[in-house]
Amino acid sequence: MIVKPHLIKVYAILLMVAIGVGLYIHSLRSDFNQFIAMLERVMPGYNLSSEVIGRELIVASTFAVEHVSGSEYRDPINSRATSFVSQYDGSGLPPLTLLFVTRESGLEYWEIEFQGCSPGECDIDFDREQFEQIDEFTWASFTRPPGRYVETELILEEEINGTQYRAFINLLLLEGGEVIDYSVVVSFEARNLVESFIARIADGNGRPIVHSHIVTRNLALEFAG
C-alpha cells in the first residue's frame, strides 16, 4: 500500500499534536504531584495533629449517629445501635458517647456510654436498659449549628509554574472546639479550558477554581477516648 505524501504530513501533524497534548497533560500532573509531595511533608500521612492546626487537638468523645446503614428510624434503639456498631467489626471503635434518634414510638433521642470494641468483636447485642433518653436540645447541640460548625484553615500555599496551589483543612467542630472529622482539599485556578469548564459547573458560582478532595477522616470514630 502506497501512502500519499499529503497523508504522511497529516499523520505527522496529528502525531505531533498527540505528543504535545500528552506532554502538556503530563506537565500539569507533575505540577500537581509536586504540590502534593510538599503537602505530605507538612501533613505526613494526612494525619491531623496539633502542629498542623497550630493549637491543641481535642478529639470529640461524643458522636451523634444520624444515619445507620441497614436500619430504619422506627427500629428499636438497641437494634439501631447494634446495626451501627457492627459496621465497624473490621476496624474496631474507641470508647465514646453515642447519640441516636428513633421514631419507634414518636421522635425520641437516646444516649449510650459505649465502652468501645476491638476488631472482630463489634457484633454486640445491646440491652435497652443501657440507653438513657435525652432531649432534642442535647441532640441538636451535636448535629446542628450553633452546636457544631465547620472551620477552614489554610495549611500550605505554593506557586508552581505560574499556578497558585492551596491546601485547606475543613474541620467539623463541636462548640467547645472538639474535632469530629476533617477533610483535606487542594484548590488551584483552572489551567486550561476543560478544567475551567468543569470547575465553573462544580463550583456553583461560576468560578474557574478546581477543588481536589484528598482525604476525609472521622476522628471521633477512630481516636476518641
Side-chain angles (χ1 to χ4, degrees):
M1 177 180 178
I2 300 176
V3 180
K4 296 181 179 180
H6 72 277
L7 290 180
I8 295 177
K9 292 181 180 180
V10 171
Y11 292 149
I13 292 173
L14 291 175
L15 178 60
M16 292 174 62
V17 169
I19 293 173
V21 170
L23 291 174
Y24 174 67
I25 294 174
H26 176 74
S27 175
L28 294 183
R29 190 66 194 176
S30 295
D31 292 348
F32 180 79
N33 289 341
Q34 183 179 340
F35 181 76
I36 291 298
M38 296 177 182
L39 174 59
E40 289 174 342
R41 287 194 291 270
V42 172
M43 193 178 186
Y46 305 120
N47 293 317
L48 193 63
S49 65
S50 298
E51 290 73 23
V52 171
I53 60 177
R55 64 176 186 275
E56 183 183 4
L57 173 61
I58 306 173
V59 179
S61 58
T62 298
F63 182 73
V65 182
E66 298 186 73
H67 306 286
V68 180
S69 178
S71 174
E72 299 181 0
Y73 286 110
R74 65 174 178 267
D75 290 341
I77 177 57
N78 51 330
S79 174
R80 280 180 64 75
T82 294
S83 295
F84 175 75
V85 171
S86 64
Q87 296 174 26
Y88 296 87
D89 196 50
S91 59
L93 276 175
L96 76 169
T97 302
L98 292 174
L99 308 183
F100 292 89
V101 58
T102 67
R103 291 191 177 91
E104 184 184 2
S105 56
L107 202 57
E108 295 177 327
Y109 306 94
W110 305 88
E111 174 183 287
I112 184 172
E113 296 298 329
F114 178 59
Q115 300 305 307
C117 59
S118 301
E121 300 179 0
C122 296
D123 191 7
I124 302 170
D125 290 326
F126 289 93
D127 188 329
R128 192 180 184 91
E129 294 182 1
Q130 294 175 270
F131 297 86
E132 179 179 344
Q133 202 161 355
I134 58 176
D135 56 32
E136 184 179 2
F137 177 81
T138 301
W139 168 263
S141 67
F142 289 96
T143 57
R144 297 192 291 271
R148 71 179 191 179
Y149 59 96
V150 176
E151 179 181 291
T152 299
E153 297 201 10
L154 174 67
I155 60 170
L156 181 64
E157 185 174 16
E158 192 73 33
E159 182 176 321
I160 302 175
N161 292 328
T163 298
Q164 197 74 19
Y165 291 86
R166 296 178 176 87
F168 298 90
I169 297 180
N170 296 319
L171 301 165
L172 180 60
L173 305 170
L174 293 175
E175 197 169 27
E178 303 97 328
V179 180
I180 301 173
D181 65 33
Y182 70 93
S183 60
V184 179
V185 177
V186 171
S187 71
F188 54 92
E189 191 167 342
R191 300 163 297 181
N192 54 55
L193 291 176
V194 173
E195 285 186 349
S196 180
F197 176 74
I198 296 174
R200 289 179 186 275
I201 294 176
D203 182 80
N205 294 318
R207 296 177 300 181
I209 303 297
V210 178
H211 298 282
S212 179
H213 174 263
I214 304 300
V215 68
T216 293
R217 287 185 178 150
N218 190 316
L219 290 185
L221 298 180
E222 293 180 18
F223 307 110

